[in-house]
Amino acid sequence: MKFFIDTANLADIREAQDMGILDGVTTNPSLMAKEGITGKDNIMSHYKQICEIVEGDVSAEVISTTFDEMIREGEELAELNENIVVKVPMIKDGVKAIKYFTEKGIRTNCTLIFSAGQALLAAKAGATYVSPFVGRLDDISTDGMALIEQIVTIFTNYGYTTEVLAASVRHPMHIIQCAELGADVMTAPLSVIKALLNHPLTDSGLAKFLADHQKAGVPAK
Ligand code: G3P
């Protein structure tokens, strides 16, 4: 399973990259705003900086909602770097835009997926990725992981090459469940990725190994 980081924070992206486990980055307008990145020039330059840090795919989201505007925006974003994947919302013009981008060889990530039907439409239009938001489904008492399972089954049934990118991942168990269900990619904040490191038996075991080594190194009186 590929690990993407879900942030526009350059320090977090660098830290995940330094760990050696990072396969890509996802951003969205909320994450860009959280970093205070506003204005077209700043936004474009921020995407370029992200692409310089990471070797994998970087999802950059369009902020328009009509076909013509999405095409204009997406083509500009795709020009920035070969690793840019144009993120398009799951709306009718978005599906049409994904089809257009696919035919032009521009890769896409269809975002705000909350049902299997939406994922199927995006796959039929040729999306490179679909992004089901598992945490936001859990928030409304709907099983986000059941949606991942459903989409993985449907794509496998018909051999769709569209990758299932689990988004809105909120805790380490989400990551484990995504891996069990065969999601192709998961994207999560750095804190959630780092939470995978933790186990109290690792901490106590390491403390004992180091203490025993220290004792053995000190000659007995
Ligand atoms: O990848 C989508 C993500 O940024 C949304 O996460 O936690 O706001 O639902 P969240």
Side-chain angles (χ1 to χ4, degrees), residues 2-155:
K2 285 186 267 188
F3 273 39
F4 287 3
I5 189 167
D6 195 29
T7 186
N9 182 284
L10 298 181
D12 283 2
I13 295 169
R14 275 194 201 97
E15 188 174 338
Q17 175 68 22
D18 283 349
M19 279 173 76
I21 48 82
L22 194 63
D23 300 300
V25 179
T26 52
T27 63
N28 62 41
S30 305
L31 294 171
M32 294 291 274
K34 192 173 162 197
E35 299 307 315
I37 316 296
T38 54
K40 188 177 166 191
D41 289 350
N42 292 335
I43 289 172
M44 295 307 226
S45 134
H46 201 76
Y47 284 136
K48 278 195 200 167
Q49 289 181 69
I50 294 175
C51 291
E52 278 162 21
I53 301 171
V54 186
E55 278 172 29
D57 288 348
V58 174
S59 286
E61 188 160 341
V62 298
I63 46 161
S64 31
T65 53
T66 59
F67 175 76
D68 289 341
E69 279 299 296
M70 279 191 262
I71 298 308
R72 188 191 53 73
E73 246 193 280
E75 285 181 337
E76 266 187 77
L77 288 167
E79 282 285 303
L80 288 176
N81 189 289
E82 62 182 8
N83 287 339
I84 290 280
V85 174
V86 178
K87 208 170 179 187
V88 177
M90 172 31 79
I91 53 176
K92 193 166 88 174
D93 277 28
V95 172
K96 214 173 132 186
I98 289 168
K99 179 77 178 171
Y100 173 92
F101 287 133
T102 304
E103 283 167 1
K104 289 265 173 180
I106 294 174
R107 293 174 313 130
T108 54
N109 175 355
C110 187
T111 189
L112 293 166
I113 295 279
F114 293 96
S115 76
Q118 292 177 325
L120 188 53
L121 275 178
K124 283 189 72 68
T128 312
Y129 300 102
V130 288
S131 289
F133 279 34
V134 296
R136 291 194 193 181
L137 282 169
D138 290 355
D139 287 344
I140 57 157
S141 307
T142 304
D143 187 354
M145 282 303 148
L147 178 60
I148 298 294
E149 187 169 23
Q150 215 181 356
I151 299 173
V152 168
T153 302
I154 291 170
F155 286 6

